[in-house]
Amino acid sequence: RQSKEGKIIYLELERNQKYAGPRPYLSKIVFRFYNEEKELISAYQKKEIKGFSLSSIEKLKGYSLGNLNTYQFFLPRYFALFFNPEKSKILADKNVREALNYGTDKVSLIEKTIFGYGKQVDSPILPELYGFKSPSKIYQFDQKLAKNLLDNAGFKQNQQGTREKIVKKKPSFQFKNELKVGSRGEEVRELQKCLAKDPQIFPENQISGYFGEQTKKAVIRFQEKYKKDILEPFGLKKGTGIVSKATQNKLNELCFPQVEEVLHMRFSLATVNQPLLLQTAEIIKEQWKELGIEIKIDTFEPSFLEKEVIKPRNYEILLFGNALTMIPDPFAFWHSTQTKDPGLNLAMYKQKEVDKLLEESRKFSVLTEKQKKLEQLQDIIIGDAPVVFLYNPSYLYFVSNEFKGIEAKTIPTPSQRFSQIEKWYINTKRVWQ
């Protein structure tokens, strides 16, 4: 049935009397459509519908729905924090990535976000879904270990409690060779430029690339000006005019000093503007704050996130989900050829052995043959820590307790919860009249 505007109000399906299999118990089912979840819950309270699903179980807060049964269906999907080391060189450090794994309390996260209706995820292939072995390594929550790893990576906590690392950058040029009268080349040219910075030392300012008498006199003036560092350690009173080691060191110090860069441990975390993921991002932010890490959360509408953030890989950390298939094939998520759109390698992960295992696993149609390759793959990926795997939220279906025969199991898509609806029934009593 449709409204005057053409919107579907409800869809009624009747039992197929000619169905070849066992005859369904229910004579018909009706699907009703609502604009908002509040309307959906209200319809259940009015006994207009017998079952429904919601985007979050939190939406049921404040409602009295005691006669509901909650069925948890397992979907082949997971949510994770994907690191992009091409946007943040800090994330290129394995110690940092491991620290972020150890510093994430997944148990608390699952309780606070999905109220325990889901599973902790520790592997890229969901081994329990396919009957594979669990990974050999799991990052159990350990704040102390996480902090030690960050210390080992050189990130120390400052007075404000945030972490930073001082990195000394090599100068673009350094004097390395002995220079004297008769020397030529680029190093002599740099010497003359350096000496010319002080007009009292090299007033002629002749940048020729040839070490002549004028350059020698300038070197002598330089040596005598800084005699405490260049001459006196060797018992000399007058300059030699030869650019040897001590002179080189002073020239390098003054003209090409080492540059110090301070790396602050702060990241931007991009995710979709959706309640569950927003709450997840906020909890991660608080958990990592305990480690001395700052997080800036950037939220986007789904279409913008896909086009402007995910496709160009324009993020440092991405909180997002991967949906797997019932037949395991993680090629699109982890092969190095899939780091660019339309590939789904969101962690920009590149590992030759993993590429090989992914390619080999595709050659086998038998699941047991694929299993060996994918179990090896999961251990390598987990060891490299390119992501923090988080959780797999259950798909929740709320049904009146008068209905029986509903079996919660693994399903590829939410619509598959009706795959065995012919077994559903309502307890009835025969009344004699």
Side-chain angles (χ1 to χ4, degrees):
R1 180 182 171 182
Q2 291 181 325
S3 66
K4 292 180 180 180
E5 295 79 19
K7 292 183 179 180
I8 298 176
I9 300 174
Y10 68 83
L11 179 67
E12 185 173 311
L13 302 177
E14 294 184 352
R15 178 169 57 198
N16 181 3
Q17 301 295 344
K18 296 181 180 180
Y19 180 57
R23 185 183 180 189
Y25 296 112
L26 304 178
S27 60
K28 69 176 180 180
I29 55 173
V30 179
F31 292 95
R32 295 188 180 275
F33 298 86
Y34 300 90
N35 294 321
E36 296 181 3
E37 291 183 323
K38 288 182 179 179
E39 295 178 18
L40 193 69
I41 299 172
S42 178
Y44 181 83
Q45 289 181 314
K46 295 175 183 177
K47 299 183 179 181
E48 293 175 2
I49 58 176
K50 299 291 186 179
F52 57 92
S53 62
L54 297 171
S55 60
S56 169
I57 194 172
E58 193 173 13
K59 298 290 179 69
L60 288 178
K61 278 188 175 180
Y63 292 97
S64 178
L65 301 168
N67 61 339
L68 276 177
N69 283 335
T70 302
Y71 294 92
Q72 296 187 65
F73 290 87
F74 180 54
L75 292 171
R77 61 177 179 171
Y78 62 81
F79 289 92
L81 295 160
F82 298 88
F83 302 143
N84 185 352
E86 294 187 6
K87 287 293 182 180
S88 171
K89 56 185 175 182
I90 297 175
L91 292 171
D93 190 327
K94 184 181 175 182
N95 281 322
V96 171
R97 299 195 305 270
E98 286 193 329
L100 296 180
N101 270 275
Y102 283 116
T104 303
D105 186 351
K106 300 180 189 179
V107 175
S108 174
L109 182 66
I110 291 170
E111 285 299 322
K112 291 178 179 178
T113 56
I114 53 179
F115 307 97
Y117 287 104
K119 298 180 179 180
Q120 178 174 320
V121 174
D122 300 298
S123 166
I125 62 171
L126 300 180
E128 65 275 19
L129 175 65
Y130 308 108
F132 293 175
K133 291 180 182 177
S134 297
S136 58
K137 179 177 182 178
I138 292 178
Y139 294 98
Q140 301 288 2
F141 178 55
D142 189 334
Q143 272 194 344
K144 184 177 179 180
L145 178 55
K147 290 179 179 180
N148 287 340
L149 285 166
L150 293 175
D151 288 338
N152 293 339
F155 287 91
K156 308 295 183 181
Q157 285 187 284
N158 56 28
Q159 292 181 344
Q160 289 73 40
T162 57
R163 290 185 179 268
E164 60 185 26
K165 178 181 181 179
I166 298 176
V167 179
K168 292 184 178 180
K169 286 188 173 182
K170 289 184 178 181
S172 58
F173 179 87
Q174 290 276 276
F175 292 104
K176 297 179 180 178
N177 299 309
E178 184 179 272
L179 303 175
K180 56 186 178 182
V181 173
S183 297
R184 297 175 182 272
E186 188 60 30
E187 201 162 356
V188 174
R189 184 180 296 274
E190 291 296 334
L191 169 66
Q192 291 167 336
K193 288 180 183 179
C194 183
L195 296 171
K197 290 181 179 180
D198 187 339
Q200 293 181 343
I201 289 177
F202 196 20
E204 297 85 359
N205 193 15
Q206 187 176 356
I207 316 300
S208 63
Y210 172 71
F211 196 124
E213 286 299 322
Q214 284 184 342
T215 303
K216 179 181 178 181
K217 291 176 182 178
V219 170
I220 291 172
R221 295 188 196 105
F222 179 84
Q223 291 171 329
E224 292 178 352
K225 181 175 182 177
Y226 298 101
K227 58 185 178 181
K228 286 185 177 181
D229 296 321
I230 300 173
L231 302 178
E232 290 180 4
F234 301 96
L236 300 174
K237 294 183 178 180
K238 293 184 178 182
T240 62
I242 299 173
V243 180
S244 52
K245 192 64 178 178
T247 307
Q248 290 169 14
N249 290 340
K250 196 62 183 180
L251 286 165
N252 288 332
E253 177 189 331
L254 296 176
C255 292
F256 302 100
Q258 278 195 332
V259 178
E260 288 188 349
E261 179 186 10
V262 180
L263 296 179
H264 298 278
M265 183 153 278
R266 60 170 71 106
F267 306 106
S268 61
L269 190 158
T271 192
V272 69
N273 187 13
Q274 191 268 345
L276 173 60
L277 295 185
L278 288 177
Q279 188 181 12
T280 299
E282 290 291 346
I283 292 172
I284 293 295
K285 178 179 179 178
E286 289 304 309
Q287 289 185 0
W288 289 1
K289 185 179 180 180
E290 294 297 316
L291 304 177
I293 299 169
E294 294 181 61
I295 293 293
K296 176 179 174 290
I297 299 172
D298 296 320
T299 59
F300 306 94
E301 293 305 313
S303 59
F304 187 91
L305 182 77
E306 180 184 353
K307 293 177 183 178
E308 304 298 330
V309 179
I310 294 179
K311 281 190 175 182
R313 304 300 196 256
N314 188 25
Y315 53 84
E316 293 181 339
I317 301 176
L318 175 69
L319 171 57
F320 204 62
N322 276 346
L324 310 185
T325 58
M326 297 304 286
I327 299 175
D329 183 19
F331 185 94
F333 302 120
W334 300 105
H335 198 277
S336 62
T337 60
Q338 305 299 301
T339 56
K340 304 297 181 185
D341 184 70
L344 299 174
N345 187 339
L346 303 179
M348 310 298 285
Y349 184 67
K350 298 176 183 178
Q351 219 276 6
K352 290 183 179 180
E353 184 61 25
V354 166
D355 283 352
K356 183 180 177 182
L357 289 168
L358 285 166
E359 292 160 11
E360 290 177 348
S361 71
R362 282 190 152 189
K363 297 176 183 178
F364 301 107
S365 58
V366 181
L367 188 59
T368 52
E369 295 296 331
K370 284 178 173 285
Q371 179 175 348
K372 297 176 184 177
K373 303 297 180 183
L374 296 182
E375 286 175 347
Q376 293 177 50
L377 172 142
Q378 78 171 342
D379 286 342
I380 296 173
I381 292 176
I382 292 169
D384 288 337
V387 308
V388 177
F389 298 105
L390 297 175
Y391 55 72
N392 178 354
S394 300
Y395 178 80
L396 301 180
Y397 190 46
F398 309 100
V399 185
S400 171
N401 58 15
E402 64 188 284
F403 282 84
K404 311 297 179 183
I406 301 175
E407 181 184 352
K409 58 179 183 177
T410 299
I411 54 176
T413 61
S415 63
Q416 289 295 311
R417 66 188 184 277
F418 299 113
S419 62
Q420 292 184 322
I421 197 170
E422 71 276 6
K423 296 181 181 180
W424 297 14
Y425 64 93
I426 300 174
N427 275 336
T428 59
K429 292 181 180 181
R430 186 181 297 275
V431 178
W432 295 94
Q433 294 183 346

